[in-house]
Amino acid sequence: MGTLNMLGLAKRVGAKFLLTSTSEVYGDPLEHPQKETYWGNVNPIGERSCYDEGKRTAETLTMDYHRGAGVEVRIARIFNTYGPRMCLDDGRVVSNFVAQAIRRQPMTVYGDGKQTRSFQYVSDLVDGLVALMEGEHVGPFNLGNPGEFTMLELAEIVKETIDSSATIEFRPNTADDPHMRKPDITKAKELLNWEPKVPLREGLPRMVSDFRNRILNEDEGKGN
């Protein structure tokens, strides 16, 4: 069900509506770190624009229903999140690196690997969403871990955690790939009394344990 239909339903039944938006609304940011007041730098006709602009439109619709129809809403802008139970091959950088290292495949780095991201453990995100829904502030709120890593730094941490002999394979970068991504979470700290607690080096082994078990079971199922 699309955002518009869900907003209409929330209006009819008097429900509170949560929009899980994304840091992609900031595009390839010219402000660093990114505050909620930053309007972003998005290519409206690029290869990534369907997702980026779709989320920006969803925020617009959510605020229109809030202002025009009195729907109680909350908006979270979620930054890169990782943890157990993720799809093994969902294309996200952390799951890619972890699955590739466990399978003894080269970790795929796009571009020069110097682009940065911030990685939030899933339990921290859940705590942030609960605080947002239980609070009185609409948002938007950045929910992410401000710890910032280049893709090469992430690959090194995955190697340390899984296999020190793991290798890296460089490939051409994807179109409109953001050069930097780091949340300013001052607003969430002050108004939601929330901040992440799990650093990458603590959360990653939990994810690796889950991935290793599932990949092992997958291999056994194939007779490997």
Side-chain angles (χ1 to χ4, degrees), residues 97 106-115 151-152 155-156 167-173:
F97 283 3
M107 291 182 287
T108 305
V109 171
Y110 293 94
D112 61 11
K114 295 179 181 178
Q115 60 271 46
M151 297 302 94
L152 291 177
E156 287 300 319
T167 59
I168 293 173
E169 180 180 281
F170 289 91
R171 293 186 183 176
N173 206 355

Side-chain angles (χ1 to χ4, degrees), residues 158-183:
V158 171
K159 284 178 62 174
E160 292 170 14
T161 307
I162 299 174
D163 180 3
S164 61
S165 66
T167 59
I168 293 173
E169 180 180 281
F170 289 91
R171 293 186 183 176
N173 206 355
T174 54
D176 299 322
D177 187 39
H179 292 87
M180 302 178 294
R181 188 61 58 74
K182 176 182 178 178

Side-chain angles (χ1 to χ4, degrees), residues 33-203:
Q34 295 82 55
K35 298 183 178 71
E36 291 87 348
T37 51
Y38 179 53
W39 290 357
N41 177 41
V42 176
N43 177 0
I45 58 171
E47 293 180 11
R48 302 168 64 97
S49 63
C50 183
Y51 182 70
D52 298 358
E53 297 289 30
K55 286 292 191 177
R56 288 160 68 96
T57 300
E59 289 194 15
T60 299
L61 290 170
T62 299
M63 290 307 298
D64 282 347
Y65 265 74
H66 174 63
R67 288 186 290 252
V71 176
E72 190 174 3
V73 303
R74 302 289 185 270
I75 301 174
R77 290 178 178 162
I78 300 172
F79 283 67
N80 291 62
T81 304
Y82 70 97
R85 303 183 186 177
M86 293 178 71
C87 292
L88 296 175
D89 301 298
D90 66 3
R92 300 171 192 268
V93 65
V94 181
S95 48
N96 273 1
F97 283 3
V98 168
Q100 287 169 336
I102 291 172
R103 290 168 174 157
R104 298 188 179 278
Q105 300 169 346
M107 291 182 287
T108 305
V109 171
Y110 293 94
D112 61 11
K114 295 179 181 178
Q115 60 271 46
T116 68
R117 297 293 184 272
S118 301
F119 303 104
Q120 158 178 245
Y121 192 68
V122 62
S123 61
D124 284 329
L125 172 60
V126 171
D127 290 344
L129 292 173
V130 170
L132 174 58
M133 291 300 284
E134 291 181 346
E136 59 185 17
H137 302 283
V138 170
F141 285 95
N142 289 336
L143 296 183
N145 191 317
E148 185 179 15
F149 301 86
T150 67
M151 297 302 94
L152 291 177
E153 288 171 337
L154 173 63
E156 287 300 319
I157 294 172
V158 171
K159 284 178 62 174
E160 292 170 14
T161 307
I162 299 174
D163 180 3
S164 61
S165 66
T167 59
I168 293 173
E169 180 180 281
F170 289 91
R171 293 186 183 176
N173 206 355
T174 54
D176 299 322
D177 187 39
H179 292 87
M180 302 178 294
R181 188 61 58 74
K182 176 182 178 178
D184 184 315
I185 60 169
T186 302
K187 184 177 177 182
K189 283 182 177 179
E190 293 178 350
L191 298 181
L192 302 181
N193 193 31
W194 173 88
E195 63 180 309
K197 298 181 176 67
V198 182
L200 180 61
R201 291 180 185 275
E202 181 181 325

